């Protein structure tokens, strides 16, 4: 995972799930919306970024010519960015406490909900600590359809708009954006295959052999089974959520 993040060249942050046990109580409250001068449009921001990159490359080439010590084809711009801080491994006591929390959840559905809640809180708190105003997540159209039916099964229909919509602004100062929600999992898999994009698979929660599957797993199996016979199943469920 870390090797893949380093290859992208973008800054990244590694956070252990155990750190969710030390989050402040303010994570449960929406943060104050940030007020400030109006930001430029997307096109203006992209043009400004391209100009800055060109200026930096010209300055780097000029420095290379003046010094004559840099190797050809290598510069500071070619060095991939790394984590802004080396993550500290969690203590054994924290890991045991987290494990006891999952064991205290009586069902697989409760453990799935607990894991999703802890992950969301960690992402939002990390964004606040680092000064980010937006967080992009990678839910596909397939994942959004599964979440939609799962929420209905769990009696959370009132939260469909924020749980499956393009934007989620309930955190106040941090907006969650889902830019991949218009593409199915199969479309994304084909794109990654054709263009050689590395793929990371997140393993699901461990389930005991005799334990009943969670509602999340049942809904996913149901939808994917229907999708094999009726290819428009996922898109139909997705449009229902709109």
């Amino acid at each position: 995972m870390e090797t893949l993040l380093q290859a992208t060249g973008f800054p990244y942050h590694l956070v252990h799930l155990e750190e969710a046990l030390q989050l402040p109580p303010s994570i449960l409250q929406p943060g104050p919306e940030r007020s400030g001068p109006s930001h430029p449009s997307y096109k203006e921001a992209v043009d400004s970024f391209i100009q800055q990159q060109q200026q930096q490359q010209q300055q780097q080439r000029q420095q290379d010519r003046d010094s004559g010590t840099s190797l050809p084809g290598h510069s500071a711009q070619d060095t991939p960015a790394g984590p802004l801080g080396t993550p500290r491994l969690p203590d054994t006591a924290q890991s045991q406490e987290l494990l006891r929390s999952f064991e205290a959840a009586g069902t697989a559905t409760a453990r799935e909900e607990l894991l999703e809640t802890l992950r969301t809180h960690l992402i939002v708190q990390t964004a606040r600590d680092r000064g980010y105003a937006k967080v992009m997540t990678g839910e596909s159209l397939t994942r959004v359809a599964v979440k939609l039916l799962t929420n209905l099964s769990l009696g959370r229909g009132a939260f469909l708009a924020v749980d499956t919509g393009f934007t989620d602004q309930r955190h106040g100062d941090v907006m969650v954006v889902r830019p991949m929600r218009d593409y199915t999992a199969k479309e994304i898999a084909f794109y990654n295959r054709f263009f050689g994009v590395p793929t990371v698979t997140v393993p699901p929660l461990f389930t005991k052999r005799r334990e009943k599957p969670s509602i999340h797993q049942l809904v996913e199996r149901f939808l994917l089974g229907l999708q094999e016979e009726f290819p428009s199943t996922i898109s139909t469920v997705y449009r229902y959520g709109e």
Side-chain angles (χ1 to χ4, degrees), residues 22 42 118 129 238 240:
Q22 300 177 345
Y42 177 77
L118 294 180
D129 294 340
Y238 170 78
Y240 171 77

Side-chain angles (χ1 to χ4, degrees), residues 1-5 7-8 138 185-203:
M1 171 71 78
E2 188 171 359
T3 303
L4 178 60
L5 293 174
T8 62
K186 181 177 290 188
E187 291 174 335
I188 297 174
F190 276 125
Y191 182 91
N192 293 343
R193 174 70 175 177
F194 293 152
F195 293 93
V197 179
T199 302
V200 176
T201 303
V202 179

Side-chain angles (χ1 to χ4, degrees), residues 33-62:
E33 296 185 1
R34 304 181 183 184
S35 59
S38 58
H39 298 282
S41 64
Y42 177 77
K43 184 178 183 303
E44 294 175 350
V46 172
D47 292 340
S48 176
F49 176 78
I50 294 176
Q51 292 177 1
Q52 292 178 2
Q53 291 294 315
Q54 292 176 348
Q55 293 176 359
Q56 292 177 0
Q57 291 176 1
Q58 292 176 358
Q59 294 176 359
Q60 185 64 36
R61 286 194 294 266
Q62 183 64 33

